[in-house]
Amino acid sequence: VVLAAGQTPPAARLELVRGAAISGRVVDARGAAQVGAEVRCVGAGADDLVVLYEPLPLAAEAAALGGAGRAVGGAKTVRTDARGTFTLEGLLPGRVHLEIARAPLVPLRTGDWTLAPGQHLDGGVLTLRDGVLLTGRVVDEAGTPVTGARVTTTPTAGLFAETDAAGAFQLALTPGAYDVTATGRPGHPRSDKGYD
């Protein structure tokens, strides 16, 4: 809105998108509730195409669902309660998935869901598998800890870890052999191979 002295600006029309919500419950392989598991909702890429099978929504909601005017919101994170349940509210409509982590269990990435404006989706029971906790530190050539380095594995675990202020990281993995790669900011990838 451009305001000039002595002029009356036109009335602004602001449209709010009705937020969506996802709820569910996180358990381990034995069905025990997982308290304090981190549940993160992440939006799909801006190039995703959403097909609508109902009457067209308001302009703001249509923009949120897809197209050149797509609105992209930040990821939202919550932790599960004493019963292992969670609810993520105020989510931007469109394609999303959940990333769930609670060490030493193996992180879980769900498939994609398409959220409609105002929808409350029941994600059901989400099960985390038992894993092996891989821990380590990332340092530079002088032995100084590297903060915020990204640690990934091949084959991929589906998620990555970031090092803390001491350069430490942890990743929960299924049993097997992995190549581990750390990438700093800035810097070049360094890898250690042969973890089994």
Side-chain angles (χ1 to χ4, degrees):
V1 177
V2 178
L3 302 177
Q7 293 184 354
T8 301
R13 177 184 174 88
L14 305 176
E15 293 183 1
L16 299 181
V17 178
R18 288 177 291 147
I22 301 177
S23 60
R25 185 167 182 260
V26 180
V27 301
D28 64 14
R30 291 159 293 284
Q34 294 304 295
V35 181
E38 182 179 272
V39 183
R40 184 169 180 256
C41 182
V42 182
D47 293 332
D48 286 344
L49 176 65
V50 178
V51 180
L52 302 177
Y53 293 99
E54 15 183 7
L56 292 177
L58 298 172
E61 293 177 352
L65 284 171
R70 180 183 177 89
V72 179
K76 289 204 170 186
T77 303
V78 296
R79 292 195 178 271
T80 55
D81 62 19
R83 296 177 296 141
T85 60
F86 67 89
T87 300
L88 285 151
E89 297 180 321
L91 303 176
L92 190 69
R95 294 275 300 277
V96 300
H97 67 266
L98 298 182
E99 296 173 353
I100 305 168
R102 188 182 187 283
L105 302 176
V106 177
L108 171 68
R109 183 194 187 281
T110 68
D112 285 350
W113 291 305
T114 300
L115 297 176
Q119 179 183 4
H120 190 143
L121 176 71
D122 182 1
V125 177
L126 303 164
T127 304
L128 301 180
R129 294 181 295 164
D130 293 332
V132 178
L133 192 61
L134 172 67
T135 61
R137 292 179 69 235
V138 178
V139 299
D140 62 17
E141 62 276 0
T144 304
V146 178
T147 302
R150 177 177 291 204
V151 180
T152 58
T153 63
T154 305
T156 178
L159 298 174
F160 62 88
E162 283 194 351
T163 56
D164 61 17
F169 70 90
Q170 62 178 23
L171 273 172
L173 305 169
T174 56
Y178 296 89
D179 290 344
V180 181
T181 301
T183 307
R185 299 191 304 258
H188 301 286
R190 306 287 182 95
S191 65
D192 289 316
K193 300 185 176 182
Y195 285 96
D196 192 359

